[in-house]
Amino acid sequence: MAGSPYTCVLWDVDGTIADASAGILPRLVEVYAAFGLPEPAQSELSRWIGPPMFESFRDLAGLSEEDAHLAVRKYRELAMRDGYAASVRIYPGVAEALQRVKAAGVPQATASSKPENQVLAILEHYGLIDDFVIVAGALPDASGLHDGKEAVLRRALHRLTEAGVDVSRPVLIGDRLHDIEGAAPLGVPVIFVTWGFGEPGESAGAIAEVATPEELLQLLLPQG
């Protein structure tokens, strides 16, 4: 760990570790059809990757809060039907980066707005689960609404602390503005990756922006 400026590394999943976009659009088409909405445009897909689904159905699809809850439930049912790891690919070089950080002795965790059971399924399917000390994703409340990035990040840091990890100098790796906004109240710096689904300007507030896993490793393990 002496070679890293960070005591732990937290990773977003969608758009940072994994690209699940190939499976998302077909499910969105089905959900839109169930609510009598026109099929969403392929060009709009990137706006759905990362933020909580409830917010997207409410803000992007224009559904009422009640219908947005129903849409999320329908979407989750479709994801379960298809298999959580179906139509998902791991970004080139990311698996190797995870292994390098682990080998350097820097503890890692996920902090994803994706439901935690889906994160676990993807990591297990691709043999990445052992690279992480803990896995944290979104969990539902009593109404079925999953929590956002700040809550997930807070839970990830708590679980790392319980596991005996030093969380005094954490860093979050993410690809969307909501990663930066969720990390800000906790004082967690964000390294923004451009291989995900972020749009121009979304990296404002990040401490750095990188285009490849190799560039990311230069910041995480500058002496590695």
Side-chain angles (χ1 to χ4, degrees), residues 154-184:
R154 192 181 300 274
R155 184 163 57 251
L157 292 170
H158 178 69
R159 290 180 181 176
L160 284 171
T161 300
E162 287 188 324
V165 172
D166 179 0
V167 298
S168 61
R169 298 192 311 280
V171 66
L172 173 66
I173 316 301
D175 74 309
R176 299 304 304 266
L177 176 61
H178 83 282
D179 293 312
I180 298 170
E181 292 178 339

Side-chain angles (χ1 to χ4, degrees), residues 1 9 30 44-45 51 64 94-95 115 121 136 165 168 170 175 180 185 216:
M1 196 184 302
V9 178
E30 288 195 52
E44 294 292 303
L45 177 61
S64 67
V94 171
V165 172
S168 61
D175 74 309
I180 298 170
L216 176 61

Side-chain angles (χ1 to χ4, degrees), residues 11 173 191 193 195 210 212-220:
W11 292 78
I173 316 301
I191 297 175
V193 303
W195 62 76
V210 296
T212 66
E214 292 73 22
E215 289 181 14
L216 176 61
L217 282 172
Q218 292 173 14
L219 298 180
L220 298 180

Side-chain angles (χ1 to χ4, degrees), residues 7-183:
T7 58
C8 59
V9 178
L10 300 107
W11 292 78
D12 173 52
V13 175
D14 277 339
T16 303
I17 293 176
D19 177 3
S21 59
I24 289 176
L25 184 60
R27 292 194 284 270
L28 287 178
V29 169
E30 288 195 52
V31 177
Y32 267 55
F35 286 89
L37 298 173
E39 184 173 313
Q42 179 78 38
S43 60
E44 294 292 303
L45 177 61
S46 65
R47 300 178 66 190
W48 287 82
I49 311 294
M53 274 285 175
F54 171 78
E55 295 180 11
S56 294
F57 278 118
R58 182 192 62 196
D59 301 338
L60 300 182
L63 295 178
S64 67
E65 294 211 352
E66 180 180 359
D67 281 347
H69 279 293
L70 295 174
V72 170
R73 190 174 305 129
K74 173 68 172 175
Y75 182 90
R76 302 296 183 213
E77 291 171 355
L78 295 174
M80 182 184 299
R81 178 200 68 187
D82 296 341
Y84 296 134
S87 302
V88 175
R89 71 180 182 94
I90 305 302
Y91 286 104
V94 171
E96 293 77 8
L98 290 168
Q99 293 164 3
R100 286 273 304 279
V101 174
K102 179 186 177 183
V106 184
Q108 300 179 104
T110 65
S112 174
S113 297
K114 197 176 196 69
E116 194 167 288
N117 63 327
Q118 296 186 27
V119 175
L120 285 165
I122 291 170
L123 297 181
E124 289 171 352
H125 179 80
Y126 285 100
L128 303 176
I129 194 75
D130 291 338
D131 293 326
F132 299 93
V133 176
I134 64 97
V135 172
L139 296 176
D141 59 20
S143 70
L145 182 65
H146 284 70
D147 46 21
K149 180 64 69 169
E150 180 184 345
V152 173
L153 187 55
R154 192 181 300 274
R155 184 163 57 251
L157 292 170
H158 178 69
R159 290 180 181 176
L160 284 171
T161 300
E162 287 188 324
V165 172
D166 179 0
V167 298
S168 61
R169 298 192 311 280
V171 66
L172 173 66
I173 316 301
D175 74 309
R176 299 304 304 266
L177 176 61
H178 83 282
D179 293 312
I180 298 170
E181 292 178 339

